[in-house]
Amino acid sequence: MVNRRIAEILRNGQPDESLIVQGWVRTKRELKEFAFIEVNDGSSLAGLQVVLNQDLPDYDKILKKINTGAAVEVAGILVPSVGKGQRIELKAKEVKVHGEADPETYPLQKKRHSFEFLRTIGHLRSRTNSFGAVFRVRNACAYAIHQFFQEKGFLWVHTPIITASDCEGAGELFRVTSLDLTNVPRTENKSVDYSKDFFARPTYLTVSGQLEAEVMAMAFSNVYTFGPTFRAENSNTSRHLAEFWMVEPEMAFCDIEGDMDLAEAFLKHVFKHVMETCPEDMEFFNQRIDNTVLATAENIINNEFERITYTQAIAALEKADVQFEYPVSWGLDLQSEHERYLCEQLFHKPVIVTHYPAQIKAFYMRLDEDEKTVAAMDILAPKIGEIIGGSQREERLDVLERRIQAQGMKLEDLWWYLDLRRYGTVPHAGFGLGFERLVQFMTGMGNIRDVIPFPRTPESAEF
Ligand code: 4AD
Ligand code: MG
């Protein structure tokens, strides 16, 4: 007999097929002469209905052991289902209970739990419908991202996690220290010399792989990174994590227009792939989490994004008939309420805002002719705000040096980055997509802590 995943059985299974399924019990319903259990193995939202007949060996003993949460292995034969809700079901011939789950203490009972409660049992929440759907969609997004870039001939490059540079210049870094704790009892950790740095210089967890991606783009033309990044910003919001994943393509011989075109095609591709491969999960989000999820996906796939300059955005916000909490004025950064107004009230779709004031953007962005703005582009999404931040990079050595110094940074710390402008410099551009914000946008999940398996936020890093 063959072991099969439940998603595949629900799709292709035919009556009379003998097979084995392995998974966790979601529900049990006992009738007089038989019982139904729903088994889920994580491969799909729906589980497989399994029928246990009284004539099974040890029927009563087994039934007692099978409660919500128990791990089971069932060998049986597929039969057409007479009940509503499923095409086929598995008639059990043999049931093995690998691990029981005591109904008195197992926290995931049949009732609906709040996401706040489920965050307190992060090690178990993936066994619920909502988190099952989120992490399947997250996986499909990751697959589609690689597919998109690989099919276009981009090289996936692996940039360091530990770095000596602050790419964004925002000072939101986690410092890396090395502690030699050999032979030091835990209670005496205080006596360790923290100042002796392993790398003989201060190092940090990376906030972005961009600078190193630029190095690689200057050899391979088109590259992308996809990895974890870290920010010590103390923003306890529903859109910030201290550890999040970022996707950062970098293209040589590319300007801001090419950058925007790629970003838009990229988002369309990922949405299309997820709609094609996870239709049940997307339907679930639409029904249970946010009833605009499917319409949003269709909108992304079928309509062009709006493109406006920062200066136009400020003008539109100044004209808006809305009382904003934060001030709007040329030179100030857009707050998430402003970003959301543009997408949700004004254009009803994603908006690409370009050419922000130089003084509010990072040193590496290309200075425009007017020397007031830079060739930046942010993609703002309804309900989320900024989902992508990107720019054409400053490829002119003299201008870049000026910008670095103007921001109070030291040229010698970036000597290798400046070398890229000394030797074979070229117009180039790239962007960073916040992977969790994409998953949030796609699924309609309200809190970013609920789209990453193990969220790290201020004062919270369990496991
Ligand atoms: O706009 P950011 O800071 O841009 C960069 O880091 C550039 N170096 C990217 C590049 O051009 N290669 O960050 C990029 C994106 C944001 O648009 C946002 O979606 C996400 O990363 N992001 C966060 N996501 C979750 N939690 C946080 N604390 C985030 N900070 C940024
Ligand atoms: Mg940004």
Side-chain angles (χ1 to χ4, degrees):
M1 252 191 278
V2 283
N3 283 16
R4 282 166 63 178
R5 299 301 305 275
I6 288 171
E8 187 274 320
I9 298 169
L10 294 174
R11 249 192 333 266
N12 308 322
Q14 295 301 325
D16 296 333
E17 285 179 340
S18 292
L19 50 87
I20 295 173
V21 293
Q22 296 157 316
W24 292 266
V25 174
R26 283 290 176 83
T27 56
K28 173 172 81 168
R29 238 176 343 128
E30 285 181 72
L31 303 172
K32 257 206 193 114
E33 281 148 24
F34 53 94
F36 291 114
I37 57 172
E38 191 199 332
V39 179
N40 190 297
D41 65 0
S43 61
S44 64
L45 194 61
L48 181 65
Q49 174 153 292
V50 175
V51 194
L52 309 177
N53 261 308
Q54 243 182 358
D55 51 14
L56 266 180
D58 292 329
Y59 178 76
D60 290 325
K61 219 167 108 193
I62 284 185
L63 213 56
K64 239 196 192 144
K65 288 187 178 178
I66 295 181
N67 292 297
T68 300
V72 294
E73 180 169 325
V74 185
I77 182 164
L78 288 180
V79 294
S81 178
V82 286
K84 269 203 203 127
Q86 62 276 316
R87 183 177 61 85
I88 44 165
E89 59 194 23
L90 185 68
K91 196 162 168 248
K93 289 258 170 67
E94 213 182 313
V95 180
K96 185 169 166 189
V97 181
H98 282 282
E100 294 180 50
D102 183 351
E104 296 296 317
T105 55
Y106 185 58
L108 292 175
Q109 291 307 325
K110 211 177 155 188
K111 71 177 185 123
R112 223 160 137 175
H113 300 287
S114 73
F115 290 133
E116 287 78 10
F117 168 71
L118 291 171
R119 263 173 241 143
T120 68
I121 48 164
H123 58 302
L124 297 172
R125 68 177 183 168
S126 296
R127 302 184 193 182
T128 63
N129 279 342
S130 299
F131 287 94
V134 166
F135 296 135
R136 275 187 300 276
V137 164
R138 186 180 164 110
N139 168 68
C141 286
Y143 181 89
I145 286 166
H146 283 297
Q147 187 184 46
F148 178 82
F149 288 119
Q150 293 291 331
E151 283 176 1
K152 286 195 163 0
F154 282 58
L155 205 75
W156 180 24
V157 297
H158 305 109
T159 50
I161 303 277
I162 300 176
T163 152
S165 37
D166 176 5
C167 172
E168 294 307 300
E172 294 163 339
L173 303 156
F174 285 105
R175 177 81 190 267
V176 176
T177 54
S178 64
L179 301 178
D180 183 2
L181 296 180
T182 1
N183 307 323
V184 180
R186 270 175 175 274
T187 47
E188 288 169 29
N189 278 2
K190 282 198 196 91
S191 62
V192 173
D193 180 2
Y194 290 86
S195 66
K196 278 200 188 117
D197 243 303
F198 185 91
F199 297 103
R201 64 186 307 158
T203 51
Y204 314 95
L205 296 180
T206 188
V207 295
S208 158
Q210 179 197 318
L211 303 186
E212 294 89 349
E214 284 184 59
V215 168
M216 300 305 271
M218 294 302 117
F220 297 97
S221 306
N222 292 335
V223 302
Y224 69 106
T225 72
F226 187 176
T229 49
F230 307 84
R231 295 203 184 171
E233 41 189 344
N234 194 14
S235 15
N236 229 328
T237 79
S238 59
R239 294 172 309 107
H240 288 87
L241 290 165
E243 175 179 311
F244 64 99
W245 284 61
M246 215 193 317
V247 179
E248 297 184 273
E250 192 68 36
M251 291 85 69
F253 310 98
C254 181
D255 61 12
I256 187 176
E257 292 297 322
D259 202 26
M260 287 191 278
D261 291 346
L262 186 90
E264 184 166 344
F266 165 69
L267 287 176
K268 285 180 156 59
H269 174 86
V270 178
F271 269 86
K272 200 154 174 271
H273 176 83
V274 173
M275 288 292 280
E276 281 165 9
T277 54
C278 305
E280 289 97 8
D281 292 328
M282 292 299 283
E283 184 70 48
F284 171 85
F285 292 123
N286 201 63
Q287 273 179 22
R288 302 284 283 272
I289 305 293
D290 174 349
N291 63 11
T292 64
V293 158
L294 292 180
T296 300
E298 290 301 327
N299 187 3
I300 297 285
I301 294 167
N302 297 317
N303 296 313
E304 281 183 11
F305 297 0
E306 195 67 36
R307 298 183 184 194
I308 59 168
T309 63
Y310 167 88
T311 304
Q312 290 168 330
I314 292 295
L317 290 164
E318 279 172 341
K319 273 209 314 242
D321 196 14
V322 179
Q323 197 57 49
F324 292 117
E325 192 186 333
Y326 290 92
V328 173
S329 143
W330 203 99
L332 297 181
D333 209 355
L334 299 182
Q335 300 298 322
S336 100
E337 56 172 346
H338 308 137
E339 298 176 339
R340 293 187 55 175
Y341 171 82
L342 295 172
C343 305
E344 290 166 32
Q345 317 271 6
L346 203 57
F347 296 115
H348 307 284
K349 53 164 132 166
V351 179
I352 313 184
V353 180
T354 60
H355 304 287
Y356 285 73
Q359 74 266 25
I360 58 168
K361 287 293 188 185
F363 69 91
Y364 53 72
M365 297 191 180
R366 192 180 197 280
L367 199 61
D368 291 322
E369 294 305 309
D370 64 7
E371 303 233 333
K372 290 199 185 85
T373 57
V374 285
M377 68 101 185
D378 277 7
I379 303 194
L380 317 178
K383 300 200 176 154
I384 306 288
E386 180 189 337
I387 188 168
I388 280 181
S391 66
Q392 185 172 334
R393 318 307 188 189
E394 185 53 78
E395 86 283 12
R396 299 162 295 186
L397 180 63
D398 56 329
V399 186
L400 183 59
E401 286 181 336
R402 243 198 301 141
R403 293 267 291 145
I404 291 174
Q405 285 169 318
Q407 302 218 358
M409 299 166 79
K410 288 201 213 108
L411 293 179
E412 53 271 30
D413 288 346
L414 286 164
W415 64 273
W416 54 274
Y417 188 69
L418 291 165
D419 259 6
L420 302 177
R421 277 71 181 168
R422 278 191 194 101
Y423 309 118
T425 192
V426 64
H428 62 290
F431 64 81
L433 163 86
F435 185 55
E436 285 73 22
R437 291 202 187 162
L438 170 71
V439 179
Q440 243 193 308
F441 181 36
M442 192 165 289
T443 58
M445 293 294 283
N447 196 314
I448 199 163
R449 293 166 176 80
D450 298 331
V451 297
I452 184 165
F454 304 101
R456 268 85 184 92
T457 50
E459 291 170 32
S460 126
E462 224 160 321
F463 306 103

